[in-house]
PDB file of all heavy atoms in Angstrom:
ATOM      1  N   HIS A 111     -15.127 -76.096 -56.916  1.00 94.00           N
ATOM      2  CA  HIS A 111     -15.871 -75.979 -58.189  1.00 94.00           C
ATOM      3  C   HIS A 111     -15.368 -74.661 -58.841  1.00 94.00           C
ATOM      4  O   HIS A 111     -15.519 -73.595 -58.266  1.00 94.00           O
ATOM      5  CB  HIS A 111     -17.356 -75.915 -57.966  1.00 94.00           C
ATOM      6  CG  HIS A 111     -18.104 -75.790 -59.230  1.00 94.00           C
ATOM      7  ND1 HIS A 111     -19.420 -75.552 -59.278  1.00 94.00           N
ATOM      8  CD2 HIS A 111     -17.785 -76.021 -60.526  1.00 94.00           C
ATOM      9  CE1 HIS A 111     -19.938 -75.453 -60.543  1.00 94.00           C
ATOM     10  NE2 HIS A 111     -18.867 -75.795 -61.335  1.00 94.00           N
ATOM     11  N   GLY A 112     -14.777 -74.819 -60.031  1.00 95.00           N
ATOM     12  CA  GLY A 112     -14.354 -73.642 -60.762  1.00 95.00           C
ATOM     13  C   GLY A 112     -15.198 -73.460 -61.982  1.00 95.00           C
ATOM     14  O   GLY A 112     -15.372 -74.370 -62.741  1.00 95.00           O
ATOM     15  N   LEU A 113     -15.745 -72.245 -62.131  1.00 97.00           N
ATOM     16  CA  LEU A 113     -16.561 -71.922 -63.336  1.00 97.00           C
ATOM     17  C   LEU A 113     -15.719 -70.894 -64.048  1.00 97.00           C
ATOM     18  O   LEU A 113     -15.431 -69.816 -63.533  1.00 97.00           O
ATOM     19  CB  LEU A 113     -17.927 -71.331 -62.888  1.00 97.00           C
ATOM     20  CG  LEU A 113     -18.779 -70.878 -64.080  1.00 97.00           C
ATOM     21  CD1 LEU A 113     -19.060 -72.029 -65.042  1.00 97.00           C
ATOM     22  CD2 LEU A 113     -20.017 -70.258 -63.586  1.00 97.00           C
ATOM     23  N   ARG A 114     -15.322 -71.256 -65.310  1.00 98.00           N
ATOM     24  CA  ARG A 114     -14.426 -70.386 -66.043  1.00 98.00           C
ATOM     25  C   ARG A 114     -15.139 -69.868 -67.310  1.00 98.00           C
ATOM     26  O   ARG A 114     -15.601 -70.718 -68.135  1.00 98.00           O
ATOM     27  CB  ARG A 114     -13.168 -71.173 -66.379  1.00 98.00           C
ATOM     28  CG  ARG A 114     -12.586 -71.716 -65.074  1.00 98.00           C
ATOM     29  CD  ARG A 114     -11.286 -72.487 -65.216  1.00 98.00           C
ATOM     30  NE  ARG A 114     -11.370 -73.681 -65.956  1.00 98.00           N
ATOM     31  CZ  ARG A 114     -10.367 -74.582 -65.947  1.00 98.00           C
ATOM     32  NH1 ARG A 114      -9.268 -74.359 -65.256  1.00 98.00           N
ATOM     33  NH2 ARG A 114     -10.489 -75.705 -66.610  1.00 98.00           N
ATOM     34  N   LEU A 115     -15.221 -68.607 -67.465  1.00 98.00           N
ATOM     35  CA  LEU A 115     -15.805 -67.972 -68.637  1.00 98.00           C
ATOM     36  C   LEU A 115     -14.680 -67.665 -69.565  1.00 98.00           C
ATOM     37  O   LEU A 115     -13.689 -67.026 -69.179  1.00 98.00           O
ATOM     38  CB  LEU A 115     -16.573 -66.696 -68.280  1.00 98.00           C
ATOM     39  CG  LEU A 115     -17.860 -66.974 -67.506  1.00 98.00           C
ATOM     40  CD1 LEU A 115     -17.535 -66.913 -65.993  1.00 98.00           C
ATOM     41  CD2 LEU A 115     -18.863 -65.960 -67.790  1.00 98.00           C
ATOM     42  N   VAL A 116     -14.790 -68.099 -70.834  1.00 98.00           N
ATOM     43  CA  VAL A 116     -13.704 -67.908 -71.809  1.00 98.00           C
ATOM     44  C   VAL A 116     -14.186 -66.990 -72.913  1.00 98.00           C
ATOM     45  O   VAL A 116     -15.095 -67.265 -73.597  1.00 98.00           O
ATOM     46  CB  VAL A 116     -13.233 -69.295 -72.350  1.00 98.00           C
ATOM     47  CG1 VAL A 116     -12.078 -69.146 -73.336  1.00 98.00           C
ATOM     48  CG2 VAL A 116     -12.860 -70.287 -71.223  1.00 98.00           C
ATOM     49  N   TYR A 117     -13.440 -65.886 -72.991  1.00 98.00           N
ATOM     50  CA  TYR A 117     -13.677 -64.855 -73.991  1.00 98.00           C
ATOM     51  C   TYR A 117     -12.641 -64.896 -75.087  1.00 98.00           C
ATOM     52  O   TYR A 117     -11.475 -65.145 -74.852  1.00 98.00           O
ATOM     53  CB  TYR A 117     -13.660 -63.437 -73.390  1.00 98.00           C
ATOM     54  CG  TYR A 117     -14.771 -63.146 -72.487  1.00 98.00           C
ATOM     55  CD1 TYR A 117     -14.669 -63.422 -71.080  1.00 98.00           C
ATOM     56  CD2 TYR A 117     -15.952 -62.512 -72.916  1.00 98.00           C
ATOM     57  CE1 TYR A 117     -15.667 -63.143 -70.241  1.00 98.00           C
ATOM     58  CE2 TYR A 117     -16.934 -62.197 -72.032  1.00 98.00           C
ATOM     59  CZ  TYR A 117     -16.819 -62.534 -70.671  1.00 98.00           C
ATOM     60  OH  TYR A 117     -17.869 -62.176 -69.855  1.00 98.00           O
ATOM     61  N   GLU A 118     -13.045 -64.542 -76.284  1.00 98.00           N
ATOM     62  CA  GLU A 118     -12.064 -64.212 -77.369  1.00 98.00           C
ATOM     63  C   GLU A 118     -11.815 -62.719 -77.197  1.00 98.00           C
ATOM     64  O   GLU A 118     -12.746 -61.955 -76.888  1.00 98.00           O
ATOM     65  CB  GLU A 118     -12.639 -64.428 -78.752  1.00 98.00           C
ATOM     66  CG  GLU A 118     -11.617 -64.151 -79.876  1.00 98.00           C
ATOM     67  CD  GLU A 118     -12.122 -64.505 -81.245  1.00 98.00           C
ATOM     68  OE1 GLU A 118     -13.337 -64.501 -81.443  1.00 98.00           O
ATOM     69  OE2 GLU A 118     -11.266 -64.713 -82.117  1.00 98.00           O
ATOM     70  N   ALA A 119     -10.561 -62.286 -77.272  1.00 98.00           N
ATOM     71  CA  ALA A 119     -10.210 -60.891 -77.085  1.00 98.00           C
ATOM     72  C   ALA A 119      -9.175 -60.424 -78.032  1.00 98.00           C
ATOM     73  O   ALA A 119      -8.338 -61.252 -78.567  1.00 98.00           O
ATOM     74  CB  ALA A 119      -9.716 -60.713 -75.640  1.00 98.00           C
ATOM     75  N   THR A 120      -9.175 -59.171 -78.359  1.00 97.00           N
ATOM     76  CA  THR A 120      -8.241 -58.509 -79.247  1.00 97.00           C
ATOM     77  C   THR A 120      -7.382 -57.543 -78.427  1.00 97.00           C
ATOM     78  O   THR A 120      -7.900 -56.885 -77.531  1.00 97.00           O
ATOM     79  CB  THR A 120      -9.007 -57.730 -80.324  1.00 97.00           C
ATOM     80  OG1 THR A 120      -9.793 -58.630 -81.036  1.00 97.00           O
ATOM     81  CG2 THR A 120      -8.017 -57.064 -81.288  1.00 97.00           C
ATOM     82  N   ILE A 121      -6.099 -57.542 -78.696  1.00 97.00           N
ATOM     83  CA  ILE A 121      -5.178 -56.595 -78.001  1.00 97.00           C
ATOM     84  C   ILE A 121      -5.379 -55.236 -78.645  1.00 97.00           C
ATOM     85  O   ILE A 121      -5.269 -55.104 -79.901  1.00 97.00           O
ATOM     86  CB  ILE A 121      -3.753 -57.139 -78.124  1.00 97.00           C
ATOM     87  CG1 ILE A 121      -3.590 -58.501 -77.500  1.00 97.00           C
ATOM     88  CG2 ILE A 121      -2.807 -56.081 -77.475  1.00 97.00           C
ATOM     89  CD1 ILE A 121      -4.060 -58.618 -76.068  1.00 97.00           C
ATOM     90  N   THR A 122      -5.679 -54.235 -77.816  1.00 97.00           N
ATOM     91  CA  THR A 122      -5.898 -52.893 -78.369  1.00 97.00           C
ATOM     92  C   THR A 122      -4.818 -51.874 -77.948  1.00 97.00           C
ATOM     93  O   THR A 122      -4.863 -50.715 -78.421  1.00 97.00           O
ATOM     94  CB  THR A 122      -7.295 -52.402 -77.914  1.00 97.00           C
ATOM     95  OG1 THR A 122      -7.335 -52.386 -76.467  1.00 97.00           O
ATOM     96  CG2 THR A 122      -8.407 -53.323 -78.491  1.00 97.00           C
ATOM     97  N   GLY A 123      -3.946 -52.236 -77.052  1.00 97.00           N
ATOM     98  CA  GLY A 123      -2.932 -51.308 -76.576  1.00 97.00           C
ATOM     99  C   GLY A 123      -2.072 -51.939 -75.549  1.00 97.00           C
ATOM    100  O   GLY A 123      -2.111 -53.115 -75.289  1.00 97.00           O
ATOM    101  N   GLY A 124      -1.141 -51.106 -75.012  1.00 98.00           N
ATOM    102  CA  GLY A 124      -0.232 -51.592 -74.000  1.00 98.00           C
ATOM    103  C   GLY A 124       0.994 -52.246 -74.613  1.00 98.00           C
ATOM    104  O   GLY A 124       1.155 -52.242 -75.867  1.00 98.00           O
ATOM    105  N   SER A 125       1.864 -52.767 -73.795  1.00 97.00           N
ATOM    106  CA  SER A 125       3.003 -53.477 -74.276  1.00 97.00           C
ATOM    107  C   SER A 125       3.270 -54.713 -73.402  1.00 97.00           C
ATOM    108  O   SER A 125       2.998 -54.671 -72.194  1.00 97.00           O
ATOM    109  CB  SER A 125       4.247 -52.610 -74.395  1.00 97.00           C
ATOM    110  OG  SER A 125       4.513 -52.029 -73.125  1.00 97.00           O
ATOM    111  N   LEU A 126       3.791 -55.744 -74.004  1.00 98.00           N
ATOM    112  CA  LEU A 126       4.000 -56.981 -73.309  1.00 98.00           C
ATOM    113  C   LEU A 126       5.013 -56.761 -72.139  1.00 98.00           C
ATOM    114  O   LEU A 126       6.055 -56.217 -72.338  1.00 98.00           O
ATOM    115  CB  LEU A 126       4.517 -58.035 -74.261  1.00 98.00           C
ATOM    116  CG  LEU A 126       4.713 -59.455 -73.674  1.00 98.00           C
ATOM    117  CD1 LEU A 126       3.388 -60.036 -73.255  1.00 98.00           C
ATOM    118  CD2 LEU A 126       5.379 -60.344 -74.697  1.00 98.00           C
ATOM    119  N   ARG A 127       4.582 -57.266 -70.989  1.00 97.00           N
ATOM    120  CA  ARG A 127       5.429 -57.259 -69.833  1.00 97.00           C
ATOM    121  C   ARG A 127       5.004 -58.413 -68.921  1.00 97.00           C
ATOM    122  O   ARG A 127       3.954 -58.957 -69.022  1.00 97.00           O
ATOM    123  CB  ARG A 127       5.403 -55.936 -69.063  1.00 97.00           C
ATOM    124  CG  ARG A 127       3.998 -55.605 -68.574  1.00 97.00           C
ATOM    125  CD  ARG A 127       4.076 -54.910 -67.187  1.00 97.00           C
ATOM    126  NE  ARG A 127       2.706 -54.581 -66.736  1.00 97.00           N
ATOM    127  CZ  ARG A 127       1.900 -55.475 -66.237  1.00 97.00           C
ATOM    128  NH1 ARG A 127       2.181 -56.716 -66.104  1.00 97.00           N
ATOM    129  NH2 ARG A 127       0.669 -55.094 -65.837  1.00 97.00           N
ATOM    130  N   ASN A 128       5.807 -58.746 -67.980  1.00 95.00           N
ATOM    131  CA  ASN A 128       5.560 -59.846 -67.062  1.00 95.00           C
ATOM    132  C   ASN A 128       4.862 -59.300 -65.771  1.00 95.00           C
ATOM    133  O   ASN A 128       5.168 -58.173 -65.373  1.00 95.00           O
ATOM    134  CB  ASN A 128       6.839 -60.564 -66.646  1.00 95.00           C
ATOM    135  CG  ASN A 128       7.531 -61.165 -67.849  1.00 95.00           C
ATOM    136  OD1 ASN A 128       6.896 -61.600 -68.742  1.00 95.00           O
ATOM    137  ND2 ASN A 128       8.842 -61.134 -67.812  1.00 95.00           N
ATOM    138  N   GLU A 129       4.024 -60.083 -65.186  1.00 95.00           N
ATOM    139  CA  GLU A 129       3.338 -59.673 -63.961  1.00 95.00           C
ATOM    140  C   GLU A 129       4.341 -59.717 -62.796  1.00 95.00           C
ATOM    141  O   GLU A 129       5.258 -60.593 -62.774  1.00 95.00           O
ATOM    142  CB  GLU A 129       2.212 -60.687 -63.671  1.00 95.00           C
ATOM    143  CG  GLU A 129       1.437 -60.326 -62.401  1.00 95.00           C
ATOM    144  CD  GLU A 129       0.246 -61.227 -62.117  1.00 95.00           C
ATOM    145  OE1 GLU A 129       0.301 -62.422 -62.568  1.00 95.00           O
ATOM    146  OE2 GLU A 129      -0.699 -60.791 -61.516  1.00 95.00           O
ATOM    147  N   GLU A 130       4.238 -58.817 -61.883  1.00 89.00           N
ATOM    148  CA  GLU A 130       5.134 -58.788 -60.693  1.00 89.00           C
ATOM    149  C   GLU A 130       4.329 -59.058 -59.476  1.00 89.00           C
ATOM    150  O   GLU A 130       3.206 -58.551 -59.300  1.00 89.00           O
ATOM    151  CB  GLU A 130       5.808 -57.415 -60.588  1.00 89.00           C
ATOM    152  CG  GLU A 130       6.796 -57.157 -61.670  1.00 89.00           C
ATOM    153  CD  GLU A 130       7.569 -55.904 -61.459  1.00 89.00           C
ATOM    154  OE1 GLU A 130       7.629 -55.370 -60.322  1.00 89.00           O
ATOM    155  OE2 GLU A 130       8.055 -55.339 -62.461  1.00 89.00           O
ATOM    156  N   ASN A 131       4.834 -59.931 -58.649  1.00 89.00           N
ATOM    157  CA  ASN A 131       4.165 -60.278 -57.363  1.00 89.00           C
ATOM    158  C   ASN A 131       2.719 -60.831 -57.554  1.00 89.00           C
ATOM    159  O   ASN A 131       1.826 -60.516 -56.827  1.00 89.00           O
ATOM    160  CB  ASN A 131       4.138 -59.049 -56.421  1.00 89.00           C
ATOM    161  CG  ASN A 131       5.522 -58.567 -56.184  1.00 89.00           C
ATOM    162  OD1 ASN A 131       6.433 -59.341 -55.871  1.00 89.00           O
ATOM    163  ND2 ASN A 131       5.712 -57.231 -56.282  1.00 89.00           N
ATOM    164  N   GLY A 132       2.531 -61.650 -58.588  1.00 91.00           N
ATOM    165  CA  GLY A 132       1.215 -62.177 -58.838  1.00 91.00           C
ATOM    166  C   GLY A 132       1.304 -63.670 -58.948  1.00 91.00           C
ATOM    167  O   GLY A 132       2.280 -64.311 -58.609  1.00 91.00           O
TER     168      GLY A 132
END
Side-chain angles (χ1 to χ4, degrees):
H111 182 194
L113 177 60
R114 306 183 294 192
L115 292 90
V116 182
Y117 290 88
E118 181 175 25
T120 301
I121 301 303
T122 59
S125 57
L126 185 63
R127 62 144 178 77
N128 301 324
E129 182 177 28
E130 292 184 21
N131 303 314

